[in-house]
Amino acid sequence: MGNEKYIQELITKAQEAQKVLETYNQQKIDEIVKVIAKIVFDEADPLAKMAAEETRMGVYEHKILKNQGKAIILWNHLKDKKSVGILRYIEKEALVEIAKPMGVVGAVTPCTNPIVTPMCNAMFAIKGRNAIIIAPHPRAKKCAKVMEELYQSAFEKMGVPKDIYQVITEPSIDLTNMLMENVDVVVATGGSGMVKAAYSSGRPSFGVGAGNVQCIIDRDVDIAQTIPKIVFGRTFDNGIICSGEQTAIIHKDDYDAAIKEFVKNGAYYTDDEHEMEALRKVVFPDGEMSKNAVGQPIEDIAKLAGINLPEGTKVIVVKPEKYGKDDVFSKEKMCNIISAYEYETWEEGVDIALKNLEVEGKGHSAIVHSNNKQNVEYAGIVLPISRLVVNQICSTMNGGSFTNGLNPTTTLGCGSWGNNSISENLTYKHLINVSRIAYVIPGATQPTDKEIWG
């Protein structure tokens, strides 16, 4: 079968299924959305094992936590949200908002998150009564196919059209591009090339930008409590999370104490230029992140660099002399390496973060550990980011958590800085159209020219 015919068949089946989905009430829609999350929660272990084996990156045990955690928080966030019929009456403005589906969603999903990203995208799409077609990364096609089988089997038992969720079984760039050009809306979570292709598809699109989360540590926090959070965030799933902490920007008077805590928590620390240069060549050959280093165990990366790590090492902390454009360690490191810097004033610490973001990661996120509201807000004002997480673990909480107000998601918009259409966490609201009924506002009159212009 030719590529065009194959894609058209997927879209035709999705359109037919979506017409049925559009007739469902809120309760029925929510039953489907719940099942999508519950399957991943119940099958978290085997799905995690399959993802680790097929993609050959990340940490199997962490993927279990990711599958369970995202399933729980997404369903909890969506279960009481209205997405069918009248959304709300805005009495003061005499407006009524009504939810309408977009149609068929095309979702491009990465090999770094081959389970939770399709699950998340499907929950958002179907919450808005849209059908969805997944274009997985070729390195995760087995995961995609198994998820399709699990979902479609469950849908058939519910009496729901199974084609509300479909997958390109033998993914390729051509098929993915063709899908994006023919669906009603695109969600692209992956590399910059694929996101750019999504925005060039001629369809409404939501994409993500590169991560490079800068972590600034203020003087008023407990170092012994803060450093373990940073180590966990940096090492979660072997560093492949785009929200993972990339740096530790520390006041010069606290630097030695912080490094001792890093070492206590499983870090190997080096400021030796020979070791750092060896790591640069392994992780950033030709100045770009090596695909062979993404999500790999830190002992394997160290071995390639000729570094003998102490047993039990979780992360390598490097201290480059320069930051920003003058050293590749300022870029996103999708493995268990974190770069450390010293600052004298809070403004200088924020400037180090800014210079690193200007190299890579503008629009994404940063994290501060601070109890000083003025310092936190200074960083929020100065840094070109969509999210500033405070006193948390960025890698696991930046995509929404039970203890912050960010939308739970796996797709983090990075605004115009990251060439994205949104600067917030993607959610179901982005995948519905809203019709508005405009009544005359009772008692409203046009003000006089004097009242307008003063």
Side-chain angles (χ1 to χ4, degrees):
M1 183 188 300
N3 285 354
E4 290 185 17
K5 185 177 180 182
Y6 173 69
I7 292 297
Q8 193 53 57
E9 283 192 5
L10 290 179
I11 290 174
T12 298
K13 289 191 290 185
Q15 288 171 334
E16 292 173 355
Q18 191 275 323
K19 289 177 183 177
V20 177
L21 196 65
E22 192 171 355
T23 67
Y24 291 166
N25 61 23
Q26 189 72 65
Q27 181 180 354
K28 184 70 171 178
I29 288 295
D30 288 345
E31 287 175 3
I32 302 169
V33 174
K34 180 180 180 179
V35 164
I36 293 170
K38 191 63 163 56
I39 285 173
V40 169
F41 181 83
D42 290 342
E43 302 295 325
D45 191 324
L47 289 174
K49 184 177 182 181
M50 179 173 57
E53 290 176 350
E54 184 181 17
T55 65
R56 304 182 303 283
M57 62 176 66
V59 180
Y60 154 62
E61 293 82 2
H62 290 177
K63 292 182 187 296
I64 297 174
L65 297 176
K66 191 193 302 184
N67 292 346
Q68 293 174 334
K70 278 297 180 185
I72 289 172
I73 193 170
L74 281 163
W75 169 240
N76 184 71
H77 180 71
L78 294 177
K79 65 182 181 181
D80 60 352
K81 302 294 190 300
K82 191 155 179 57
S83 61
V84 178
I86 293 176
L87 295 175
R88 61 176 182 156
Y89 295 91
I90 310 173
E91 293 185 8
K92 187 177 180 180
E93 299 174 22
L95 287 173
V96 182
E97 294 181 342
I98 305 170
K100 307 283 179 67
M102 287 186 165
V104 178
V105 177
V108 184
T109 58
C111 58
T112 51
N113 272 327
I115 305 299
V116 294
T117 298
M119 174 195 73
C120 177
N121 290 345
M123 291 175 74
F124 292 161
I126 291 171
K127 180 75 175 179
R129 293 179 294 164
N130 308 291
I132 187 168
I133 302 172
I134 304 292
H137 191 284
R139 196 167 167 176
K141 65 180 182 180
K142 179 182 176 183
C143 291
K145 183 60 180 173
V146 168
M147 288 190 71
E148 181 186 53
E149 292 169 353
L150 287 170
Y151 285 153
Q152 290 193 347
S153 175
F155 296 156
E156 287 184 314
K157 290 176 183 176
M158 297 173 71
V160 171
K162 66 182 180 66
D163 292 327
I164 58 173
Y165 185 98
Q166 297 178 86
V167 165
I168 294 177
T169 54
E170 292 295 334
S172 68
I173 292 175
D174 286 345
L175 286 172
T176 298
N177 286 336
M178 207 170 292
L179 176 72
M180 293 191 294
E181 291 168 0
N182 287 278
V183 293
D184 295 297
V185 60
V186 177
V187 178
T189 312
S192 59
M194 189 53 68
V195 172
K196 184 176 181 180
Y199 284 118
S200 301
S201 67
R203 300 294 177 173
S205 300
F206 298 97
V208 298
N212 188 19
V213 174
Q214 301 298 299
C215 177
I216 315 172
I217 305 170
D218 207 344
R219 300 218 63 199
D220 63 355
V221 298
D222 187 334
I223 293 292
Q225 291 183 1
T226 299
I227 299 304
K229 293 179 183 178
I230 298 171
V231 171
F232 183 87
R234 175 67 301 207
T235 59
F236 188 75
D237 213 10
N238 273 349
I240 60 177
I241 308 299
C242 64
S243 293
E245 285 83 340
Q246 296 289 333
T247 62
I249 304 171
I250 311 160
H251 191 276
K252 64 183 183 64
D253 292 344
D254 299 326
Y255 189 84
D256 290 343
I259 295 304
K260 286 180 181 177
E261 287 297 329
F262 269 113
V263 173
K264 190 186 295 185
N265 285 273
Y268 175 81
Y269 175 72
T270 181
D271 57 3
D272 181 275
E273 185 53 42
H274 294 293
E275 288 188 333
M276 289 193 290
E277 184 58 25
L279 286 168
R280 289 187 190 97
K281 290 178 179 178
V282 170
V283 179
F284 292 105
D286 303 319
E288 298 298 328
M289 181 74 201
S290 170
K291 294 180 181 179
N292 297 322
V294 174
Q296 299 309 301
I298 194 60
E299 55 267 26
D300 292 353
I301 292 172
K303 187 175 181 180
L304 290 172
I307 300 172
N308 294 317
L309 294 179
E311 187 174 347
T313 297
K314 299 177 182 178
V315 60
I316 294 177
V317 178
V318 297
K319 188 188 181 185
E321 289 187 6
K322 299 178 180 179
Y323 54 87
K325 61 182 176 58
D326 295 319
D327 197 305
V328 290
F329 279 132
S330 65
K331 302 179 72 173
E332 182 183 28
K333 302 165 286 293
M334 297 182 72
C335 58
N336 295 350
I337 295 177
I338 194 164
S339 50
Y341 308 92
E342 295 183 53
Y343 70 84
E344 292 192 13
T345 65
W346 183 253
E347 290 76 13
E348 182 188 7
V350 173
D351 188 62
I352 292 170
L354 175 62
K355 294 297 191 298
N356 287 346
L357 287 169
E358 286 174 345
V359 173
E360 187 169 58
K362 282 178 70 173
H364 204 289
S365 311
I367 178 168
V368 296
H369 291 275
S370 174
N371 298 306
N372 185 317
K373 185 171 181 285
Q374 182 177 346
N375 283 355
V376 170
E377 293 182 355
Y378 176 83
I381 291 168
V382 171
L383 296 177
I385 49 173
S386 299
R387 288 153 290 270
L388 181 66
V389 178
V390 183
N391 297 332
Q392 299 167 58
I393 299 172
C394 196
S395 69
T396 56
M397 295 178 160
N398 200 32
S401 80
F402 288 108
T403 56
N404 70 37
L406 297 171
N407 290 328
T409 194
T410 57
T411 302
L412 292 91
C414 297
S416 60
W417 301 291
N419 297 316
N420 296 164
S421 55
I422 58 172
S423 56
E424 62 179 321
N425 291 5
L426 182 85
T427 189
Y428 75 100
K429 290 183 179 179
H430 298 107
L431 298 181
I432 58 174
N433 289 315
V434 177
S435 297
R436 291 171 177 81
I437 300 173
Y439 292 100
V440 173
I441 300 173
T445 59
Q446 181 175 325
T448 64
D449 286 354
K450 185 175 181 180
E451 288 171 327
I452 291 175
W453 302 113

